[in-house]
Structure formats: structure tokens, C-alpha cells
Amino acid sequence: MTSRRHVLSLLAAAPFAPALAGCAPNNLPDPAAGWRDPGAGETDPRRFALAHAILAPNPHNTQPWQVEFIGENEMALYCDLDRRLPFTDPFDRQITIGCGCFLENLRLAAATKGLYTQLNQFPEGEPTPRLDARPIAHVRLVPMEGYIGDPSFAEITSRRTNRNIYDVTRAPSAEQFEELNSVVTNTGEEYQGEVRWAADAEQVAQLRDLVWRAFEREMQTVGALEETFQWLRFGRDAIAEHRDGLGMDGAMMPLFKALGFLSHDAMTDPNSQSNKTALADWKKKAESAPAFLWMTTTSDTPNARMTAGRAYQRLALAAQGLGLSIHPWSQALQEYEEMADLYAEAKQLLSAGDQTVQMLVRIGHADPVPPSARRELGDFIRA
Ligand SMILES: Cc1cc2nc3c(=O)[nH]c(=O)nc-3n(C[C@H](O)[C@H](O)[C@H](O)COP(=O)(O)O)c2cc1C
């Protein structure tokens, strides 16, 4: 008979494993369809660009993007305010980074059509302290003779957030780190900040410990657990139905559900066996990190966050091109009360000084992961 311990050890293997591409259940749409030949057959280049933009990384995969088409070649981008993460991201800093990632994909895709993206961030002013109903960007696509774009466009469909165990012995090389730095800081664009990394044993050990303790803190904070629970999608049906959020899939999912391991009560109780099991699993992930990389900005305005997101997406695509796996590990960067001491510790350990750490990632080599879910293109277009 399957013991409780055995069942829970299987549960540990399940978190955040997205649905397999091409395997949608019960006539529901395939949640991975958006990754295959995005924008194929689209005649409006804005729809082609949008089909690539929605493949951007974004916190909890809430996909908080709304686009309004204006005239023949313009678009306004809005944040879908209901798809933010107010507990763990109280100032919408990370959501704004995800919008920057979206814009970078959009720009790269438009360029392959010979279109230059004239981008105006926060055209009606920068909202503060949180995003509001005003547009977060205005985009005009203009033809440009001889404009062929950027080779990193080719990485958009293969980029993933990789949460597997990493090869602890295989950090990126110094040349690879320099390359990642150069795609962010040497592009002549308006990014004001730094890319730094750690691959030496002592600093990596300190960072493994920090990201782990911040993760543990989040798992002890009921408000954070409640928020995450809203975005967890258990099993193939739920993933295909919602096509957003953090998918957990596997053959054992129906059994876990039936046993109550995935219930609201179990998942939001810091002391539940389910959460203890997940914690043990994530500890192994932290301990497997061979290196970390982080990005800072000199200011923390909405504009700076958005520009950091665009830069992060360039970095993530370049990492993919170099055969590197990457995994944001953000808990210690989050600005909620229960995290305050670890936030301060992170700033110190990452030598951020007066700068804001916008992204902190585990980086190295890991087995590949399948793509995460995306909603249909039409879901992102305002009528
Ligand atoms: C600003 C930001 C913060 C993120 N923080 C985390 C994190 O702390 N842990 C994690 O596992 N993934 C994190 N992610 C990755 C997202 O969860 C991921 O992009 C999303 O689930 C979609 O998956 P994909 O990147 O494979 O397309 C973050 C992404 C962004 C843009």
C-alpha cells in the first residue's frame, strides 16, 4: 500500500511542473499552443508582435497585459490591475518588470517585420505608489529600411524559467557572465544600473542560504500563501482551463487532490505536511545553485522598473542562447513587512548600496523544462 510518506515524496516532484505541450484534456485548448509558431498567419504585425510578447516571463504567470490597438500602427499597453500580486508585490514593482519583459519581446518581434518600435513608457505620467488605470506604454511601429532586428528573437519560444535541480558543479563561465552583462549594459539604451554575479564558493553559499531562508519565510507567511494559492493550477484540466498561473501536473495529481494535500487549507497552512514537503524540495533546489546573478537600478521609479524588465528579458534570451538555465528567486527582494529583515540582508549581501535589486536569479545548467501556459491572444486585446 502507498504510504503517506511515499505519496508526499511524489508531491515534492510535482510543484510547478507545467502541462506537457500538446496534451490538452477534454477538448480544452492546449495551454502550450502559444509557444508553437506564434503569430503564424497574422497579417497585422501588431498581432504578430503580441503573440511573441505574451511569451514573456512574469510573476506567478498572471499575464497582466492588456493591449488596445489604435489606428493602423499604434498600441497602448495597460496593466490588468486584477492580475497583480498585492501581498508580495505591494508596489507592483515585479509586475512592472514583467510588463517590461513583454515590451522587449514585442520590440524584437516587430523588428523581424522591419518595424522599429517607438516606445513611450508611462505616456500619461508615472503612477505611484502603485500602477493605475493609465497606460503603462504607448507603442508605434514604424517601417525602417534595412532594419532586421536582433538574433535573440529566435530564443523567445525556447526561453523558460527553469526550476529544476541545477548541476552544482557547473557555473557559467566568466565569458558567459560578461556576455550577459553586455546585453544589458552595453546596448546604449536607457538602463541605469548594474549586472553582477557570484560564482565563488563563499558568496554562493551565502546566497543559497539567503534565498532559502527568504523562501521559507514566505512559506510561513499566511498572506503570501493565500496569494500564491489563487494562482496555483493543479492538474491538467485546471491548467488547460485557466492557461495562466503556476501549473502543477503529474500522474499522481488526482490522488493528491483526493487525499486533500492540495486543498486550500493544506496549501495555506504553514505547518501542513504538503508545505513541509514542498519546502524540503525547494531546499534542494537552492542548494544546487552553482551561481547567482542580480540586476540593480540606480532609481526605483516605474520607468526604471519597466526598463529593468526589458533588460532582464534581453538577459534571459541571451542566457537561453548560451545554453544556460535561469530561475528568478525573488522572495528576498519583496517589500512586505514579514520579509523586511531578509530584504535588508539581501541588499547588504548583494552590495546594492543605494541601488534597488530588481532581479536575483539562480543560473547554471539543468535539465530542460516544458513551456508554461499562456492564454489566447484575443484575451489580451481590449475591445
Ligand atoms: C519579476 C519576476 C519575478 C519572478 N520571481 C520568481 C520567483 O521568485 N520564483 C520563481 O520560481 N519564478 C519567478 N519568476 C518566474 C515566473 O514565475 C515565470 O516567468 C512564469 O511562471 C512564466 O513561466 P516562464 O518564465 O517559463 O514562461 C519571476 C519572474 C519575474 C518576471
Side-chain angles (χ1 to χ4, degrees):
M1 198 179 136
T2 310
S3 71
R4 187 178 173 82
R5 185 178 293 275
H6 176 62
V7 170
L8 285 163
S9 73
L10 292 170
L11 178 63
F16 308 130
L20 295 176
C23 297
N26 302 335
N27 296 324
L28 287 167
D30 176 2
W35 295 89
R36 289 190 297 276
D37 209 1
E42 296 289 359
T43 49
D44 185 335
R46 292 174 297 183
R47 285 183 64 95
F48 177 83
L50 183 60
H52 290 83
I54 63 169
L55 303 179
N58 65 102
H60 278 20
N61 199 22
T62 70
Q63 305 168 29
W65 314 297
Q66 282 278 298
V67 163
E68 182 189 359
F69 287 171
I70 305 164
E72 296 290 303
N73 66 343
E74 295 177 32
M75 285 181 266
L77 170 65
Y78 297 87
C79 175
D80 185 337
L81 299 175
D82 294 335
R83 289 178 173 271
R84 296 177 294 171
L85 300 164
F87 189 94
T88 53
D89 186 25
F91 307 115
D92 301 335
R93 184 185 63 79
Q94 298 185 97
I95 285 291
T96 307
I97 292 175
C99 292
C101 297
F102 171 100
L103 282 174
E104 189 60 17
N105 272 8
L106 188 123
R107 184 184 76 79
L108 290 168
T112 65
K113 299 285 183 193
L115 295 167
Y116 176 74
T117 298
Q118 284 179 350
L119 174 62
N120 188 5
Q121 296 181 179
F122 301 103
E124 294 176 20
E126 288 183 278
T128 181
R130 299 188 70 196
L131 296 176
D132 59 26
R134 285 176 286 173
I136 62 175
H138 179 269
V139 163
R140 180 181 287 118
L141 302 182
V142 287
M144 199 175 246
E145 190 86 16
Y147 189 55
I148 49 158
D150 190 310
S152 56
F153 168 76
E155 308 298 343
I156 288 179
T157 52
S158 42
R159 182 211 59 81
R160 310 273 181 266
T161 293
N162 192 321
R163 301 187 182 89
N164 278 338
I165 297 279
Y166 282 38
D167 181 345
V168 72
T169 65
R170 232 180 130 203
S173 66
E175 292 73 27
Q176 288 176 322
F177 277 126
E178 286 299 347
E179 172 73 22
L180 297 178
N181 180 28
S182 74
V183 298
V184 172
T185 55
N186 297 347
T187 51
E189 294 193 28
E190 68 266 39
Y191 179 78
Q192 298 286 325
E194 291 174 28
V195 178
R196 304 207 197 128
W197 53 89
D200 68 283
E202 189 183 343
Q203 209 180 356
V204 169
Q206 285 174 326
L207 287 169
R208 283 180 194 146
D209 180 54
L210 172 75
V211 298
W212 160 246
R213 283 185 291 123
F215 188 85
E216 190 180 36
R217 179 71 56 85
E218 180 159 308
M219 297 288 276
Q220 288 162 351
T221 306
V222 173
L225 290 175
E226 289 277 1
E227 181 168 270
T228 297
F229 183 76
Q230 292 171 34
W231 294 100
L232 293 177
R233 309 288 180 239
F234 301 117
R236 228 157 244 205
D237 284 357
I239 293 169
E241 186 191 334
H242 293 276
R243 302 175 71 178
D244 61 10
L246 300 165
M248 295 169 72
D249 194 19
M252 304 300 287
M253 211 40 69
L255 178 63
F256 298 153
K257 272 192 192 169
L259 292 173
F261 293 150
L262 308 175
S263 68
H264 171 267
D265 286 358
M267 297 303 287
T268 57
D269 172 2
N271 299 314
S272 72
Q273 200 55 50
S274 305
N275 279 335
K276 284 188 187 154
T277 307
L279 265 177
D281 180 51
W282 281 78
K283 191 161 205 280
K284 288 189 208 130
K285 293 177 199 273
E287 284 168 352
S288 78
F292 289 89
L293 175 148
W294 58 101
M295 293 172 60
T296 62
T297 52
T298 52
S299 71
D300 190 29
T301 59
N303 253 312
R305 296 166 183 170
M306 185 99 94
T307 305
R310 286 164 48 209
Y312 173 69
Q313 179 62 354
R314 282 200 297 281
L315 186 144
L317 295 172
Q320 187 70 36
L322 292 169
L324 296 170
S325 296
I326 191 167
H327 172 204
W329 204 309
S330 308
Q331 284 74 28
L333 309 183
Q334 289 170 345
E335 296 124 298
Y336 59 96
E337 203 184 323
E338 292 85 343
M339 196 60 76
D341 56 327
L342 295 176
Y343 180 87
E345 198 178 321
K347 275 197 92 162
Q348 199 165 23
L349 201 51
L350 300 170
S351 306
D354 290 340
Q355 302 200 6
T356 302
V357 185
Q358 300 290 1
M359 292 298 290
L360 169 63
V361 305
R362 185 167 68 118
I363 186 163
H365 299 84
D367 288 341
V369 288
S372 55
R374 288 297 184 281
R375 290 178 292 143
E376 304 229 10
L377 203 58
D379 293 344
F380 298 92
I381 303 174
R382 277 193 183 176

